[in-house]
């Protein structure tokens, strides 16, 4: 094989064109890098809701909590299942819940950028079912009281939701009595209140929208089968991991949209790399002839020029990732709270973001260098030596 230092020397001779090509690759990689950080942060926020052995029960045929309805009779039947775990004092770990839309800043003008999140009505058992929830300050709402507890991300975003504040919602004025965290999950974007109070205000009678249950270890299949075969309950049940994985479908759509933009830029990068390598072939016709005389095969020449293109693209990839990190930290992107719909999340740099950026750079380099390398390998020996 032709030594790699030959390719490095060639790139140093063509500093200007090499730098321009690397810059275009860097732009694509930086875009992919930042996109991956957004997607990783949003997906982690949604999936952090899921806990091992926690399952969700919704009415049959529904795919989300808001469109489901489970009657009180069905709830009592499901609650009696022996597969459901209990607390040390004998309470069944099943949390009936009702949700409704919530505007955290009703005094602000309603615009397309205005955020609406969820107000979730729960009984006190919910704080044990969702066992990752922890109070940061204050206390949990009392049963039967017009009180709210606010997720930490939502409280950080909206100062009007501070502990001790009053909040007008529907016909009542609620007192904010606490702020909670939940392992950086999407639940930190929500507000919780007493289920009985909320059902009165939104007129949900004799039922709930969703049940969250904690199952005993190893009985998941038995629990699902018992509900499927019981004609008294028409519900679907699935693990929280599976349920929230389905909710990340919109994340994949955002990712796809970003990839389309990146692909358009990547096509331009491929042509840029191709142009640079064609120029290199034209300038080094004599060198190619000398290499062939020295015994290097057509494949060696082909591989050498492809490697040179990949090295150039990798340099651009490294530059792009450095720029991505600088942009994330210099603009505060890595620390500020953002939202998509009702989900508040943080930008998150993962190893996948670094790996995907470098893979993209390598692919751009390989595609951009392949045709010029093929042309270089097909140059006739006599023709090449004439230009020496």
């Amino acid at each position: 094989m032709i030594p790699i230092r030959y390719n490095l020397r060639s790139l140093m001779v063509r500093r200007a064109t090499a730098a321009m090509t690397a810059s275009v690759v860097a732009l694509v990689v930086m875009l992919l890098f930042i996109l991956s950080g957004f997607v990783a942060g949003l997906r982690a926020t949604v999936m952090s809701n899921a806990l091992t052995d926690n399952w969700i029960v919704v009415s049959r045929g529904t795919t989300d909590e808001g469109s489901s309805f489970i009657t009180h009779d069905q709830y009592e039947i499901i609650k009696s299942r022996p597969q459901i775990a209990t607390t040390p004092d004998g309470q069944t770990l099943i949390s009936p819940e009702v949700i409704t839309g919530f505007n955290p800043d009703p005094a602000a003008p309603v615009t397309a950028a205005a955020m609406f999140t969820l107000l979730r009505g729960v009984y006190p058992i919910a704080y044990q079912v969702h066992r990752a929830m922890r109070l940061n300050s204050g206390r949990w709402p009392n049963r039967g009281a017009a009180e709210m507890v606010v997720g930490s991300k939502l409280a950080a975003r909206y100062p009007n939701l501070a502990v001790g504040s009053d909040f007008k919602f529907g016909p009542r004025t609620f007192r904010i009595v606490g702020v909670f965290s939940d392992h950086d999950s999407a639940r930190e974007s929500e507000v919780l209140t007493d289920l009985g109070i909320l059902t009165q205000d939104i007129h949900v009678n004799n039922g709930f929208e969703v049940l969250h249950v904690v199952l005993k270890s190893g009985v998941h299949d038995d629990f699902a089968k018992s509900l499927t075969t019981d004609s008294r309950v028409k519900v679907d049940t699935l693990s929280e991991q599976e349920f929230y994985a389905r909710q990340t479908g919109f994340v994949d759509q955002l990712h796809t949209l970003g990839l389309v933009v990146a692909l358009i830029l990547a096509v331009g990068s491929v042509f840029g790399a191709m142009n640079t390598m064609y120029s290199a072939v034209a300038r080094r016709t004599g060198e190619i002839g000398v290499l062939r005389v020295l015994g290097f095969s057509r494949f060696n020449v082909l591989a050498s020029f492809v490697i040179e293109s990949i090295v150039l693209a990798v340099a651009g990839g490294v530059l792009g990732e450095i720029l991505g990190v600088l942009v994330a930290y210099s603009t505060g992107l890595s620390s500020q709270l953002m939202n998509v719909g009702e989900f508040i999340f943080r930008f998150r740099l993962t190893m996948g973001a670094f790996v995907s950026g470098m893979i993209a750079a390598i692919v751009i380099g390989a595609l951009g260098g392949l045709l010029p390398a093929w042309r270089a390998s097909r140059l006739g020996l006599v023709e090449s030596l004439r230009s020496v």
Side-chain angles (χ1 to χ4, degrees):
M1 288 293 293
I2 300 173
I4 190 70
R5 62 176 178 273
Y6 168 77
N7 305 107
L8 296 176
R9 180 187 62 81
S10 174
L11 291 174
M12 292 304 296
V13 170
R14 298 176 288 111
R15 293 186 184 90
T17 56
M20 291 177 62
T21 303
S23 298
V24 177
V25 175
L27 178 63
V28 176
V29 172
M30 183 181 72
L31 176 63
L32 283 173
F33 187 78
I34 294 177
L35 174 64
S36 297
F38 275 110
V39 171
L42 186 52
R43 180 174 282 113
T45 294
V46 176
M47 290 306 299
S48 292
N49 282 342
L51 295 175
T52 304
D53 293 327
N54 274 35
W55 281 52
I56 291 178
V57 181
V58 293
S59 56
R60 187 161 297 168
T62 57
T63 58
D64 60 84
E65 295 176 306
S67 58
S68 171
F69 183 77
I70 297 172
T71 67
H72 195 275
D73 290 339
Q74 290 176 325
Y75 160 69
E76 291 294 341
I77 293 170
I78 296 170
K79 184 179 179 181
S80 66
R81 298 296 177 189
Q83 297 91 355
I84 301 178
T86 58
T87 64
D89 60 356
Q91 295 185 74
T92 305
L93 285 171
I94 179 169
S95 173
E97 300 177 3
V98 170
I99 61 174
T100 188
F102 182 82
N103 182 359
D105 190 8
V110 178
T111 65
M115 178 185 173
F116 287 85
T117 184
L118 300 178
L119 174 61
R120 187 178 297 267
V122 298
Y123 290 139
I125 191 65
Y127 311 131
Q128 298 182 68
V129 171
H130 305 297
R131 53 192 180 279
M133 293 200 305
R134 298 288 183 272
L135 276 172
N136 293 357
S137 60
R139 58 175 175 81
W140 299 115
N142 289 325
R143 183 79 178 265
E147 297 175 340
M148 293 177 172
V149 62
V150 181
S152 57
K153 290 178 182 176
L154 195 64
R157 189 89 175 261
Y158 294 94
N160 61 304
L161 299 178
V163 175
S165 303
D166 291 329
F167 190 93
K168 184 74 165 60
F169 181 82
R172 300 178 193 267
T173 297
F174 288 78
R175 172 58 60 95
I176 308 295
V177 297
V179 173
F180 72 93
S181 59
D182 186 50
H183 203 256
D184 202 36
S185 76
R187 204 166 282 117
E188 293 182 5
S189 308
E190 298 181 358
V191 179
L192 306 182
T193 190
D194 177 67
L195 190 149
I197 293 292
L198 185 60
T199 54
Q200 292 175 28
D201 291 350
I202 63 175
H203 307 294
V204 175
N205 299 316
N206 195 37
F208 315 100
E209 290 182 319
V210 62
L211 307 179
H212 288 257
V213 300
V214 181
L215 299 183
K216 297 174 183 176
S217 182
V219 298
H220 312 121
D221 293 340
D222 291 340
F223 178 71
K225 184 177 179 180
S226 71
L227 296 184
T228 303
T229 57
D230 192 334
S231 60
R232 298 173 298 172
V233 291
K234 297 185 181 299
V235 297
D236 291 327
T237 181
L238 60 164
S239 67
E240 286 191 344
Q241 287 93 339
E242 183 180 355
F243 180 82
Y244 290 117
R246 292 181 180 181
Q247 304 305 305
T248 60
F250 75 97
V251 181
D252 296 330
Q253 292 175 1
L254 290 175
H255 194 199
T256 301
L257 180 61
L259 288 178
V260 169
V261 176
L263 180 61
I264 295 172
L265 291 176
V267 170
S269 299
V270 168
F271 280 106
M274 193 179 296
N275 183 62
T276 299
M277 295 310 298
Y278 269 126
S279 298
V281 171
R283 293 178 181 179
R284 291 152 60 189
T285 302
E287 293 180 20
I288 294 170
V290 172
L291 290 172
R292 293 295 310 284
V293 169
L294 292 175
F296 292 104
S297 66
R298 291 182 185 274
F299 176 78
N300 293 146
V301 174
L302 173 70
S304 179
F305 276 83
V306 171
I307 289 172
E308 184 173 318
S309 180
I310 291 175
V311 168
L312 177 60
V314 166
V318 172
L319 176 61
E321 295 196 341
I322 292 173
L323 289 174
V325 172
L326 291 176
V327 168
Y329 283 94
S330 64
T331 61
L333 190 64
S334 59
S335 58
Q336 69 183 16
L337 293 172
M338 298 164 283
N339 74 281
V340 174
E342 71 270 24
F343 299 110
I344 300 177
F345 66 99
R346 288 184 174 86
F347 181 86
R348 176 176 295 194
L349 290 179
T350 64
M351 184 56 64
F354 289 92
V355 173
S356 62
M358 293 312 301
I359 290 176
I362 291 171
V363 170
I364 289 172
L367 293 177
L370 188 58
L371 288 178
W374 175 260
R375 181 177 183 277
S377 68
R378 307 314 296 176
L379 287 175
L381 183 58
V382 175
E383 177 187 354
S384 301
L385 291 176
R386 283 175 181 172
S387 61
V388 175

